[in-house]
Amino acid sequence: MPRTAVCVDIIQSAGAEYRVDTPTRASPWGFTIKSAKEMSAERFPGHVAPRFIFRIAQSENLLPFVLGVHRAPLALPALRRPDGTWSILDESEIRRQGFTQTARRFAAINGRLKAVGKGKSLQERVDERGKLSKQVFGADGFLILAGAGGKNICAACIPLAEAKDIVVDQTLYWKVVADEREAWFQVGMLNSAALTNATLAFNPKGDFGERHLHTLPYRMMPSYDPGNDDHKKIAGLAKVLASLAAGHCTTGAYLSDPTKALTARRRKLRILLENSPELLELEALAAAVLGATPSEMIDPDVIKES
């Protein structure tokens, strides 16, 4: 999905349809399009009704234990129903709702998409392989977000009450967990060096180092056991570490700035946390929980499918 087609700067938030424009690289949301290739020079000024504006959770927001608050607005030709399911609308349906200028802007984007020769409309692209329509989170529980690439696994979670307007970008994996302790247990395990090290034997490498982790960490991580004291301790420690990480991001302008290099920001936060007694204890518990060697914990035939 070309980011320039969906990410927006809100120029004026007044009236039935807000005035918006495509972010420039110098704008506060410029980081959303910095890696754009297809349609990188395109701009789509116009108006969008606020019901079609959401906030994107993307890799640039995700640091160890914490999801940053700089979540860029994006405009989609879709509505999230009260039950959390999605309705994807064409321009005529949007126009019938009374949002003529919104429909006009989405039509302009579709006109440009046709011109670049990919043959798919904006509506088709935003729900490629069901990536949008599958984002039905529910009302209770926690949304866990994890990075999809790199050597070190990175994860955070937020209550679903804080995720009502969030759309998860393809640069992140997500899942919903009903139980708070289970959510924090998974966040703690995913951020642990113990789980990262357990996946290294199966992590494919390219010319620039380790590549996507895919679903291996989730397959190697044991299911949460509410009767297991170590599991409960990991959950509690992860929650404390999230608070510490959020504090570092509040006081450290570099860490909280999504325009800065993501790998450097994640590395700096890990360094700030690495000597905390909470992380040291979590690492010891995570290693104990994993126990067996990677070859004992996962069937190699399963890896071929991932």
Side-chain angles (χ1 to χ4, degrees):
M1 167 54 60
R3 292 273 181 86
T4 52
V6 292
C7 294
V8 296
D9 266 330
I10 299 174
I11 309 301
Q12 187 175 40
S13 56
E17 295 175 280
Y18 292 176
R19 187 159 67 91
V20 302
D21 201 349
T22 304
T24 65
R25 295 184 185 275
S27 79
W29 305 119
F31 68 90
T32 63
I33 62 165
K34 67 182 180 182
S35 299
K37 295 175 183 175
E38 185 185 10
M39 295 173 61
S40 61
E42 297 293 335
R43 295 183 61 78
F44 298 101
H47 291 76
V48 177
R51 67 180 62 186
F52 297 103
I53 297 176
F54 305 91
R55 294 283 168 171
I56 184 173
Q58 59 189 113
S59 58
E60 284 85 354
N61 303 131
L62 184 65
L63 300 176
F65 296 99
V66 64
L67 182 70
V69 297
H70 298 288
R71 303 163 199 169
L74 75 165
L76 301 177
L79 296 175
R80 191 175 248 150
R81 301 185 184 99
D83 65 355
T85 59
W86 288 90
S87 175
I88 298 173
L89 310 178
D90 62 27
E91 289 89 320
S92 62
E93 292 171 308
I94 295 170
R95 194 174 289 108
R96 279 197 294 271
Q97 292 187 10
F99 304 115
T100 303
Q101 295 185 86
T102 301
R104 187 178 298 137
R105 183 175 183 274
F106 287 136
I109 294 170
N110 268 329
R112 186 57 191 145
L113 285 172
K114 288 181 182 179
V116 299
K118 295 295 183 179
K120 291 185 178 180
S121 68
L122 179 63
Q123 286 82 352
E124 291 172 309
R125 288 194 175 206
V126 298
D127 200 33
E128 186 80 34
R129 298 190 299 279
K131 286 190 175 182
L132 180 64
S133 56
K134 289 175 182 176
Q135 293 188 34
V136 181
F137 301 148
D140 300 311
F142 285 75
L143 177 66
I144 299 176
L145 297 159
K151 176 180 177 180
N152 295 295
I153 308 167
C154 188
C157 72
I158 59 172
L160 285 178
E162 298 177 13
K164 294 183 184 300
D165 65 344
I166 279 184
V167 172
V168 183
D169 181 72
Q170 63 183 8
T171 56
L172 296 176
Y173 290 132
W174 66 271
K175 67 183 297 188
V176 171
V177 173
D179 182 76
E180 181 177 4
R181 274 187 173 173
E182 181 179 359
W184 284 114
F185 167 76
Q186 292 194 23
V187 169
M189 290 296 298
L190 288 167
N191 281 300
S192 70
L195 186 56
T196 288
N197 290 336
T199 66
L200 288 180
F202 307 105
N203 193 0
K205 292 186 178 182
D207 292 339
F208 299 99
E210 287 79 7
R211 296 191 295 180
H212 294 313
L213 294 163
H214 297 292
T215 58
L216 278 177
Y218 302 98
R219 300 186 187 191
M220 302 181 78
M221 181 170 54
S223 298
Y224 176 69
D225 179 359
N228 186 307
D229 287 341
D230 284 350
H231 288 201
K232 289 188 287 187
K233 287 177 183 177
I234 289 171
L237 290 165
K239 190 172 183 179
V240 172
L241 284 162
S243 180
L244 292 174
H248 286 305
C249 291
T250 299
T251 57
Y254 185 94
L255 292 174
S256 61
D257 186 351
T259 67
K260 305 300 184 184
L262 179 62
T263 53
R265 290 162 56 221
R266 287 179 177 175
R267 183 175 62 251
K268 285 179 181 293
L269 183 53
R270 285 192 179 96
I271 291 171
L272 289 169
L273 294 173
E274 68 181 3
N275 291 322
S276 65
E278 291 85 1
L279 186 60
L280 294 173
E281 185 178 359
L282 185 147
E283 289 290 358
L285 289 168
V289 164
L290 289 169
T293 64
S295 60
E296 295 172 323
M297 298 184 68
I298 189 164
D299 184 346
D301 291 333
V302 174
I303 298 169
K304 295 175 186 178
E305 300 171 6
S306 63

